[in-house]
Amino acid sequence: MRFLTAAAAVAATFGLSPAFAQDDRADWPSSLTVGTASQGGTYFIYGTGLAGLISQNLNVNASAEVTGGPVQNATLVETGDHQIGLVTMGPAYEAWTGNSELAPGVEHKSLRALFPMYQTPFEAVALQSSGIADVTDMAGRRVSVGPAGGTAATYWPRFFEVLGIEANISYSGANDATGQVKDGLIDAFAFAAGVPISAFAQIAAENPVNIFGFTDEQLAQILEAMPEVAEFEVPGGLYQGFPDSHKTVAMWNFAVAHQDMPESLAYEITKLVMDGNEAMMQIHATAAETIPENADKNSFMTYHPGALRYFDEKGIEIPAELRD
């Protein structure tokens, strides 16, 4: 009786449906992995928290794995090496259509959308002493764009190309790049992550820095050349010494699974996250956008039947072309 009472309390807290207790779990895995990105970035924090919630509430041993980011995550889920991956929709679309730089020519059609996460803005940070205060100042300078295969590493070089900037690009995880900026080994760190980016917050708290996105003129050039991104305004007050907002571009992020994930498990994971926004917000502030209404931010990837079941119950309309 005590066990049943505790289980009911957990279900009430996280919105688990009665179906959780009734579903046949024979085909559920005993463990699963969540592909994130480098330590120091939002994906790692978000994914680690997500894995913790799954472990605590669904009796599945879930763990977050450090990866190169969305490009790699899409392929790791496609091949079944990871059961869940966190992806940005730009790299996910390229993987879906067979244009992934990691697996060119391979259409990743086993991917299935689970739930919307948040928007990923693109920002750059540099020590004030470097003299870099604008994207154009990075011409000829040493710039890390995050780990190879990540969203930042994929799109920052494209932004530079659109803007006619030739930077000396290197690749490293967020924690490493932060240290390299502080030690003068690189001149700037151009990244993409949910805000506030923890690595940027750390360096801003310890050093006089410039954190910036794009000017109106730069935005116009990028938006015309790259329709997969959208204008985004980073709120002021997220970083020490930066009370004012600034403009940049962003992409939506989604959690995806392999099509072979059991339907009941995909349903419970989606429900756990979508109905547990307060718990998700405790993991990272970006989860304010992890809500059912943002399911419409996926325009191409088929939803997992388990996720569809949840959104149908909530009255969220999913287009026919995104259904199995």
Side-chain angles (χ1 to χ4, degrees), residues 42-300:
T42 305
Y43 262 29
F44 183 75
I45 298 171
Y46 190 107
T48 300
L50 171 62
L53 285 181
I54 293 172
S55 296
Q56 294 164 16
N57 297 285
L58 300 184
N59 198 29
V60 175
N61 184 20
S63 61
E65 299 288 335
V66 173
T67 70
V71 175
Q72 187 178 18
N73 289 344
T75 298
L76 288 171
V77 173
E78 175 71 19
T79 59
D81 291 286
H82 285 328
Q83 291 69 51
I84 296 175
L86 310 185
V87 299
T88 316
M89 296 310 269
Y93 179 73
E94 293 190 341
W96 183 260
T97 56
N99 295 305
S100 168
E101 60 186 37
L102 184 61
V106 179
E107 293 186 352
H108 290 44
K109 291 301 175 69
S110 295
L111 298 179
R112 293 294 181 268
L114 287 179
F115 57 83
M117 293 166 52
Y118 57 84
Q119 296 181 78
T120 285
F122 293 81
E123 293 184 286
V125 62
L127 296 181
Q128 289 183 5
S129 59
S130 72
I132 297 176
D134 182 271
V135 175
T136 56
D137 295 330
M138 291 194 276
R141 308 296 290 274
R142 301 164 299 174
V143 181
S144 172
V145 292
T151 300
T154 300
Y155 283 90
W156 269 105
R158 298 180 187 181
F159 297 153
F160 291 148
E161 183 177 357
V162 169
L163 299 175
I165 296 168
E166 294 186 9
N168 297 321
I169 293 173
S170 62
Y171 304 93
S172 56
N175 281 349
D176 289 341
T178 300
Q180 291 167 10
V181 169
K182 291 191 292 186
D183 295 339
L185 299 177
I186 58 174
D187 300 307
F189 177 26
F191 201 43
V195 293
I197 300 174
S198 59
F200 283 24
Q202 174 189 339
I203 194 171
E206 299 172 353
N207 308 268
V209 298
N210 293 321
I211 297 177
F212 52 90
F214 299 102
T215 65
D216 289 340
E217 182 179 351
Q218 292 163 355
L219 280 172
Q221 291 178 262
I222 291 171
L223 293 173
E224 181 178 359
M226 304 175 65
E228 65 266 40
V229 299
E231 185 174 335
F232 183 91
E233 186 160 337
V234 179
L238 294 183
Y239 305 109
Q240 185 172 316
F242 292 86
D244 299 326
S245 64
H246 61 265
K247 293 180 180 180
T248 186
V249 293
M251 284 184 182
W252 271 93
N253 299 275
F254 267 70
V256 303
H258 193 278
Q259 63 180 358
D260 291 341
M261 174 178 281
E263 180 178 338
S264 59
L265 177 57
Y267 170 81
E268 294 298 346
I269 291 173
T270 303
K271 183 174 179 61
L272 176 69
V273 173
M274 293 285 90
D275 287 355
N277 188 252
E278 183 176 342
M280 294 301 298
M281 285 281 290
Q282 291 175 4
I283 294 168
H284 199 282
T286 56
E289 295 182 308
T290 304
I291 56 176
E293 290 75 12
N294 285 328
D296 64 354
K297 302 304 187 291
N298 165 34
S299 62
F300 66 88

Side-chain angles (χ1 to χ4, degrees), residues 23-43:
D23 278 334
D24 181 6
R25 295 171 47 121
D27 58 350
W28 282 28
S30 59
S31 63
L32 61 81
T33 54
V34 180
T36 62
S38 62
Q39 295 182 5
T42 305
Y43 262 29

